[in-house]
Amino acid sequence: MLRRVLRTGLGRSLLIRELGASSGKGRNVSEMKKKIRSLLPGEPDNFMYDTRHLPPERSDVVIVGGGVIGLSVAFWLKKLEKRRDGIRVLVVERDQTYSRASTGLSVGGIRQQFSVPENVQLSLFSVDFLRNINEHLAVVDAPPVDLQFNPSGYLLLASEEGAAILESNVKMQRQEGAKICLMSPEQLRKKFPWINTEGVALASFGMENEGWFDPWSLLQGLRRKVQSMGVLFCQGEVTRFVTSSNRMRNSAGEEVNLRRIHEVHVKMDNSLEYQPVECAIVINAAGAWSGQVAELAGIGKGPPGTLQGTKLPVEPRKRFVYMWHCPQGPGLETPLLTDTNGVYFRREGLGNNYIGGRSPTEEEEPDPADLEVDHDFFQNKVWPHLAYRVPAFESLKVRSAWAGYYDYNTFDQNGVVGPHPLVVNMYFATGFSGHGLQHALGVGRAVAEMLLNGHFQTIDMSPFLFSRFYLEEKLLEQNII
Amino acid sequence: MAAPRAFLHLIPLKWNWGERGFRDLSGVTTPEASHRGRRTLLQFLSDHFYDVEFLREYFLRKQMQKLHLENGSYIRVQNKYGPDIAGAYFILKHGGAVKFRDMEWVRSDEWRHFIAGVSKFQAVPVEAVDASGCAINYDGLGNLLSLKELRSLSLQRCPHVDDWCLSRLYPLASSLQELSLAGCPRISERGLACLHHLQNLHRLDISDLPAVNFPGLTQILVEEMLPNCEVVGMDWAQGLRQGPDEQPQDAAGPIPVEPLAPGSRQPLCNS
Ligand SMILES: Cc1cc2nc3c(=O)[nH]c(=O)nc-3n(C[C@H](O)[C@H](O)[C@H](O)COP(=O)(O)OP(=O)(O)OC[C@H]3O[C@@H](n4cnc5c(N)ncnc54)[C@H](O)[C@@H]3O)c2cc1C
């Protein structure tokens, strides 16, 4: 008897030792950790079946879209929450590879040269954040975020007609604290001898805080940080909102139909399975698809001309980016140059490679159904202008190209931030039409402030509220690149 | 030309305390340090206890705050004595050295003497600053940007000087003739690209920059960008010739005992 006990005991300990040797120290420790955690009270019971791929049954805030804007909102919610683990935040993202998300497909530019003061402020806020990114997004024992910021500036060119607007914009940008200088064509020739200044009356150049960075690094850095702050992620698509409505009369005696989302249905990947998530707040950060997500909540379904019938005017618009090589092209000093007609390019790395493109006109808008690249667009609409402005680009060789979606606001090409007036617990953070990456950090903070404190604090974003679509007050941004 | 060159002959400064303290804990300044597989006790504890993780995060934050405090703006000194005295005071406090026009170098251990004779210095501008090894960051650099007659600036081996800092140097463009960035661990080709603003630069030292990806190519591009400037970089041809046993023994240490002459620096690819 004793012998048998001894033998089995010994056998087991041998087995354990063997396992330990084969699995290595690191795995051993993590397995132990898992075991201890599952035995501790208050932890979910994982013995029966694994539900980790499913979202939780309830969450205070559900963020639809895990792009840079969604993650920024998550970050600021956790950062500004009054007590640790005070709010539960869930980010629902349908594609963990982000293959079609705008964030990874963008050009990564940041500038202060906008025409709307709030956009300048957002950008200044973001650049300050990015400069100290490793303090904001520091995670103990994780390597620092390598943002790869190129502080090379934006150079905007204006024709005779555009010069006055450019000048007044720069005046406003300087008042907001941006370091922008105006340049005459002569100064331009002196500084950048490779530019043909024909047709240029005035130029503005960002001396500081403008340039481009790696959007992917920012996205990964944010993801890592919010995860460490306790934000939950789930892969799945938001397909339905369960709402309840409440009829009320406003002070003018009109009847309004206030609605509230109670449940978000998250459809799991490649299955018919869906999980309802009870929630108090939904954040619509679905980028180019945020118009569809708004529709799911019934926004825009009503008689035209009413608030109920006012859609979120955000739709995907396809934009091409081309990368070319030109041995005689401009050197290390090359900024992100935007021509009078909207053609832009910048240096990419050190090997005389450049990337650039142009926004098509309304008539030329390509079909957004897929992300195919139209190479003729470069030949006919981009290259002639490039070669005119920078004669060295006469001989260039296109190396590659890609397409991505602008989260395009068809109403005024500006962002939509804050709650919906009727679906009272849906908040928007979308519609930035090609400058969402650089504004994400400021927008996230604004949404978090609105949600937690009921008003905007750091930057007054009230001109960006949804109600402007109903009131038909355009907040036009002239500098859309 | 004699005066601006003088920083090359300075006695190396004390290794800075603030900087050392900052390096110890964080993965922020030294990306590799915490990832070489060295598992410290703290790391082990924090993997298992959330409180320890929280505590470490707190210390990390404290250290960052300290760096910020040390790099605050000396606006009161500036209002009272002018930008040159404020800039000089900032540098001396950080362990660097300054040279006022027609005067000897003032080093950090002489800062009492400097304060006593502040009226003497007030009459002349600062023409050279040696901030080698100082824990200056982006904000602190602001104290130097109103030195209108600054001709020579050495930021050698400054652990917190990065690309963002370089994008801030353009207000010095009209006077700055000599700039040394040698050995700064965080400067990359992306920051060097915005030195095109410094059109009066005669001499630029960009040797020994570990974050620059293609040192040879970068040097050529910087030379093209600043045609009137002598660019001192690492001599990669020499690096190819030099055998492993000819390497200077102390090269891995943070500060060489003698300031190295340009060109004799250890090539990047071997360090
Ligand atoms: C070619 C190009 C160049 C650009 N250049 C710049 C630039 O230089 N500077 C700049 O600031 N901005 C630029 N932008 C714009 C910028 O990329 C976007 O504004 C920004 O990335 C928007 O971020 P987002 O998080 O809202 O969107 P996304 O990154 O698209 O994220 C939205 C996410 O929501 C998910 N999603 C959508 N619907 C659902 C659903 N129902 N359920 C679950 N998940 C859902 C999607 O999968 C997606 O991952 C550029 C864009 C393009 C296309």
Side-chain angles (χ1 to χ4, degrees):
Chain A
M1 180 67 194
L2 183 71
R3 192 173 288 169
R4 203 189 305 154
V5 170
L6 262 180
R7 197 180 296 145
T8 51
L10 243 176
R12 195 175 291 156
S13 79
L14 261 181
L15 193 75
I16 289 174
R17 206 173 298 150
E18 246 172 54
L19 263 180
S22 66
S23 63
K25 207 167 108 196
R27 224 176 94 197
N28 225 359
V29 169
S30 75
E31 263 163 21
M32 274 281 278
K33 211 167 90 180
K34 241 189 254 163
K35 248 186 218 160
I36 294 175
R37 276 211 189 139
S38 63
L39 289 174
L40 284 175
E43 289 288 330
D45 189 355
N46 286 340
F47 289 129
M48 299 288 280
Y49 52 90
D50 193 2
T51 54
R52 269 173 304 181
H53 67 289
L54 289 178
E57 281 167 21
R58 54 185 78 78
S59 175
D60 298 319
V61 180
V62 172
I63 300 178
V64 188
V68 70
I69 298 220
L71 294 188
S72 166
V73 175
F75 170 81
W76 285 110
L77 278 174
K78 293 308 275 181
K79 181 95 184 167
L80 301 178
E81 68 185 358
K82 297 284 182 305
R83 107 191 125 75
R84 216 171 137 87
D85 293 329
I87 19 180
R88 277 170 303 178
V89 180
L90 171 72
V91 176
V92 183
E93 167 57 55
R94 65 178 169 203
D95 177 12
Q96 300 289 350
T97 64
Y98 293 102
S99 56
R100 287 152 64 89
S102 316
T103 305
L105 296 171
S106 80
V107 172
I110 180 161
R111 59 185 158 122
Q112 283 84 50
Q113 301 189 52
F114 288 99
S115 67
V116 173
E118 285 81 6
N119 280 339
V120 183
Q121 292 165 14
L122 280 173
S123 176
L124 281 169
F125 178 87
S126 294
V127 87
D128 206 60
F129 186 101
L130 295 178
R131 192 185 310 118
N132 299 307
I133 190 162
N134 280 311
E135 294 176 25
H136 295 291
L137 302 187
V139 176
V140 175
D141 291 335
V145 179
D146 183 12
L147 194 67
Q148 311 219 357
F149 179 60
N150 286 264
S152 290
Y154 268 64
L155 178 64
L156 264 55
L157 308 183
S159 60
E160 198 118 12
E161 303 90 73
I165 297 179
L166 186 82
E167 202 172 335
S168 75
N169 282 348
V170 169
K171 201 168 150 215
M172 178 275 292
Q173 290 150 9
R174 284 195 189 149
Q175 273 168 2
E176 296 293 344
K179 304 279 191 295
I180 314 290
C181 75
L182 285 171
M183 290 168 91
S184 67
E186 244 161 76
Q187 287 168 319
L188 206 57
R189 271 195 295 274
K190 203 163 149 247
K191 197 156 192 68
F192 304 111
W194 38 264
I195 295 183
N196 166 21
T197 55
E198 206 73 28
V200 176
L202 193 65
S204 62
F205 183 40
M207 306 290 279
E208 252 183 77
N209 292 332
E210 290 197 335
W212 56 91
F213 60 91
D214 177 17
W216 195 245
S217 302
L218 175 63
L219 191 75
Q220 293 302 326
L222 272 170
R223 215 181 139 97
R224 194 178 68 187
K225 179 68 183 179
V226 297
Q227 247 160 353
S228 83
M229 292 166 115
V231 170
L232 295 178
F233 281 82
C234 120
Q235 173 157 9
E237 182 169 355
V238 171
T239 48
R240 193 175 157 219
F241 296 110
V242 179
T243 59
S244 69
S245 59
N246 214 344
R247 283 185 190 281
M248 297 210 186
R249 281 188 189 281
N250 64 10
S251 52
E254 294 162 27
E255 194 167 87
V256 286
N257 194 3
L258 289 187
R259 295 201 306 150
R260 175 172 282 279
I261 301 170
H262 293 286
E263 245 178 47
V264 177
H265 285 192
V266 180
K267 187 171 136 330
M268 299 293 121
D269 227 19
N270 301 327
S271 85
L272 296 173
E273 186 184 5
Y274 76 85
Q275 167 85 27
V277 182
E278 256 179 65
C279 65
I281 304 281
V282 173
I283 312 252
N284 184 347
W289 303 272
S290 51
Q292 296 165 16
V293 172
E295 253 181 66
L296 292 180
I299 292 169
K301 286 185 185 151
T306 63
L307 189 51
Q308 228 167 359
T310 307
K311 282 189 167 79
L312 176 69
V314 178
E315 61 180 43
R317 291 265 174 115
K318 189 154 84 168
R319 295 292 176 268
F320 307 117
V321 183
Y322 305 90
M323 177 171 155
W324 62 88
H325 178 70
C326 174
Q328 289 80 41
L332 209 54
E333 72 278 12
T334 317
L336 195 152
L337 187 147
T338 306
D339 204 348
T340 50
N341 46 20
V343 172
Y344 72 90
F345 75 92
R346 68 161 167 86
R347 181 170 59 76
E348 170 72 0
L350 298 177
N352 284 87
N353 292 323
Y354 307 85
I355 65 176
R358 180 190 196 177
S359 280
T361 59
E362 279 294 326
E363 300 82 55
E364 294 164 356
E365 276 296 348
D367 176 14
D370 55 33
L371 283 176
E372 286 295 305
V373 176
D374 178 1
H375 287 277
D376 293 339
F377 186 75
F378 183 79
Q379 286 298 321
N380 302 329
K381 305 285 176 183
V382 183
W383 183 37
H385 301 285
L386 277 176
Y388 180 74
R389 191 53 71 212
V390 181
F393 285 153
E394 280 290 351
S395 58
L396 58 76
K397 196 165 179 315
V398 176
R399 284 243 166 113
S400 61
W402 75 86
Y405 294 121
Y406 269 19
D407 41 342
Y408 196 82
N409 172 350
T410 54
F411 182 74
D412 58 8
Q413 290 80 55
N414 241 326
V416 191
V417 179
H420 188 269
L422 295 180
V423 183
V424 288
N425 60 348
M426 176 173 271
Y427 285 65
F428 298 107
T430 182
F432 281 86
S433 318
H435 50 270
L437 175 70
Q438 60 191 296
H439 287 173
L441 295 158
V443 170
R445 181 163 181 137
V447 172
E449 285 172 355
M450 186 52 137
L451 216 156
L452 297 172
N453 307 321
H455 56 100
F456 297 121
Q457 283 167 317
T458 314
I459 299 171
D460 180 14
M461 298 286 290
S462 25
F464 289 71
L465 286 170
F466 181 92
S467 42
R468 74 178 192 273
F469 305 131
Y470 168 65
L471 301 170
E472 304 214 349
E473 291 166 358
K474 287 196 178 185
L475 177 69
L476 275 177
E477 172 56 62
Q478 291 152 351
N479 291 347
I480 294 296
I481 296 176
Chain B
M1 227 23 230
R5 274 190 190 272
F7 73 72
L8 292 173
H9 303 293
L10 267 184
I11 302 164
L13 301 155
K14 287 195 300 271
W15 199 226
N16 198 291
W17 282 107
E19 187 274 329
R20 177 181 290 174
F22 191 75
R23 274 196 169 194
D24 277 345
L25 263 175
S26 74
V28 173
T29 40
T30 50
E32 311 84 18
S34 58
H35 272 261
R36 265 184 227 132
R38 260 195 300 124
R39 292 181 63 83
T40 61
L41 179 66
L42 270 180
Q43 223 166 332
F44 176 79
L45 286 174
S46 67
D47 280 352
H48 296 264
F49 300 100
Y50 287 123
D51 297 355
V52 180
E53 195 175 313
F54 185 65
L55 208 67
R56 290 185 67 201
E57 215 177 294
Y58 173 80
F59 283 131
L60 196 69
R61 208 155 285 285
K62 274 278 167 239
Q63 279 178 351
M64 290 173 188
Q65 273 171 8
K66 183 162 171 274
L67 185 75
H68 277 300
L69 274 183
E70 284 173 354
N71 278 284
S73 153
Y74 283 50
I75 198 78
R76 275 175 47 206
V77 185
Q78 185 163 345
N79 289 342
K80 198 159 174 201
Y81 299 103
D84 286 72
I85 295 290
Y89 186 62
F90 168 76
I91 287 298
L92 293 181
K93 281 288 243 189
H94 271 261
V98 287
K99 188 180 178 312
F100 285 83
R101 191 199 287 157
D102 304 326
M103 292 200 203
E104 287 297 306
W105 281 89
V106 186
R107 298 207 179 82
S108 58
D109 46 3
E110 298 165 331
W111 71 276
R112 281 176 208 286
H113 161 75
F114 167 72
I115 293 195
V118 77
S119 55
K120 181 180 77 179
F121 293 108
Q122 224 175 337
V124 280
V126 172
E127 66 172 14
V129 163
D130 179 2
S132 308
C134 296
I136 302 182
N137 71 1
Y138 179 89
D139 297 320
L141 202 64
N143 290 308
L144 302 182
L145 299 180
S146 22
L147 302 179
K148 288 281 161 274
E149 315 255 337
L150 187 67
R151 287 163 57 191
S152 165
L153 175 62
S154 167
L155 298 171
Q156 287 185 46
R157 300 182 303 276
C158 287
H160 303 294
V161 167
D162 55 11
D163 294 337
W164 294 87
C165 292
L166 298 194
S167 74
R168 242 196 139 175
L169 292 178
Y170 66 91
L172 301 172
S174 61
S175 64
L176 200 65
Q177 296 176 356
E178 195 166 323
L179 177 65
S180 173
L181 306 171
C184 290
R186 292 172 156 213
I187 288 180
S188 77
E189 64 276 12
R190 298 180 285 275
L192 295 177
C194 50
L195 295 182
H196 69 92
H197 288 294
L198 307 178
Q199 279 305 331
N200 291 323
L201 222 51
H202 292 330
R203 194 184 146 84
L204 172 66
D205 189 346
I206 53 168
S207 51
D208 210 0
L209 301 179
V212 169
N213 282 325
F214 304 99
L217 177 59
T218 303
Q219 181 170 349
I220 294 169
L221 292 174
V222 171
E223 277 166 0
E224 274 175 12
M225 182 177 79
L226 294 167
N228 304 321
C229 178
E230 177 198 352
V231 179
V232 183
M234 40 136 278
D235 190 351
W236 52 280
Q238 188 197 2
L240 293 181
R241 263 183 270 117
Q242 211 171 26
D245 33 76
E246 292 167 64
Q247 297 294 312
Q249 287 306 304
D250 61 345
I255 292 201
V257 181
E258 284 291 333
L260 297 172
S264 72
R265 206 166 275 281
Q266 191 214 9
L268 247 189
C269 43
N270 291 318
S271 61

